[in-house]
């Protein structure tokens, strides 16, 4: 179960960031609820001996944890940390497009627009019907003065 350590790291990062503010206790529970549910499903699959299903569910939980951590970093203005979280998220699931799109947004915000364009071009080439990626690519090309 390689995904389990990622879950713990994502969980700890998220908990440390949010729990620093005790007034957010109810918000923390709401933010972490999807990760909690995903973990519960993974653990149930593990108890039932469904190892492949458990691994898939742990990976989904890790993805949710890293994406949430990335979003919280963005909200706090910690864009390098957000970039790292979205990169981690991209390695946890079979379809990392959402993580890559989030990474591309952060890259554009930090002046790494050429890297965002390259990433979105690869994504778009692999899934030409992915409209959110194509829209984001158009924005990145415009920001990079490649689309008039």
């Amino acid at each position: 179960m390689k995904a389990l350590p990622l879950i713990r790291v994502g969980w700890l990062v998220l908990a440390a960031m949010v729990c620093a503010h005790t007034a957010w206790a109810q918000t923390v529970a709401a933010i972490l609820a999807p990760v909690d549910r995903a973990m519960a499903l993974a653990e149930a699959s593990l108890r039932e001996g469904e190892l492949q299903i458990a691994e898939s569910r742990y990976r989904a939980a890790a993805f949710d944890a890293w994406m949430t951590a990335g979003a919280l970093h963005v909200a706090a203005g910690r864009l390098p940390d957000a970039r790292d979280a979205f990169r981690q998220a991209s390695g946890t699931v079979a379809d990392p497009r959402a993580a890559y799109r989030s990474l591309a947004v952060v890259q554009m915000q930090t002046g790494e627009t050429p890297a965002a364009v390259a990433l979105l071009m690869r994504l778009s080439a692999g899934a030409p019907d992915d409209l959110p990626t194509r829209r984001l690519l158009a924005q990145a090309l415009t920001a990079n003065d490649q689309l008039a």
Side-chain angles (χ1 to χ4, degrees):
M1 297 272 111
K2 290 184 179 183
L4 184 57
L6 291 176
I7 290 294
R8 288 189 180 140
V9 169
W11 188 263
L12 291 173
V13 167
L14 187 59
M17 289 178 357
V18 179
C19 289
H21 304 284
T22 57
W24 289 5
Q26 289 181 339
T27 304
V28 171
I31 289 170
L32 297 178
V35 175
D36 256 350
R37 284 191 295 274
M39 287 292 293
L41 288 171
E43 290 166 1
S45 296
L46 194 58
R47 281 191 301 276
E48 294 169 6
E50 299 288 345
L51 300 182
Q52 288 181 329
I53 293 172
E55 180 179 5
S56 176
R57 289 180 174 166
Y58 276 124
R59 287 182 179 279
F63 178 79
D64 289 344
W66 283 116
M67 291 297 286
T68 301
L72 290 171
H73 283 306
V74 167
R78 294 186 298 264
L79 298 180
D81 292 331
R83 182 182 51 233
D84 293 343
F86 294 135
R87 282 186 179 139
Q88 288 290 336
S90 72
T92 62
V93 291
D95 182 6
R97 285 180 293 179
Y100 284 142
R101 282 192 300 265
S102 295
L103 174 59
V105 169
V106 170
Q107 288 173 326
M108 286 189 289
Q109 291 174 337
T110 58
E112 301 171 72
T113 307
V117 168
L119 175 60
L120 293 166
M121 294 277 279
R122 280 194 318 271
L123 282 180
S124 189
D129 294 334
D130 181 359
L131 293 179
T133 298
R134 294 185 67 76
R135 279 189 216 108
L136 193 55
L137 174 58
Q139 291 172 357
L141 288 168
T142 301
N144 207 39
D145 292 326
Q146 290 179 271
L147 192 65

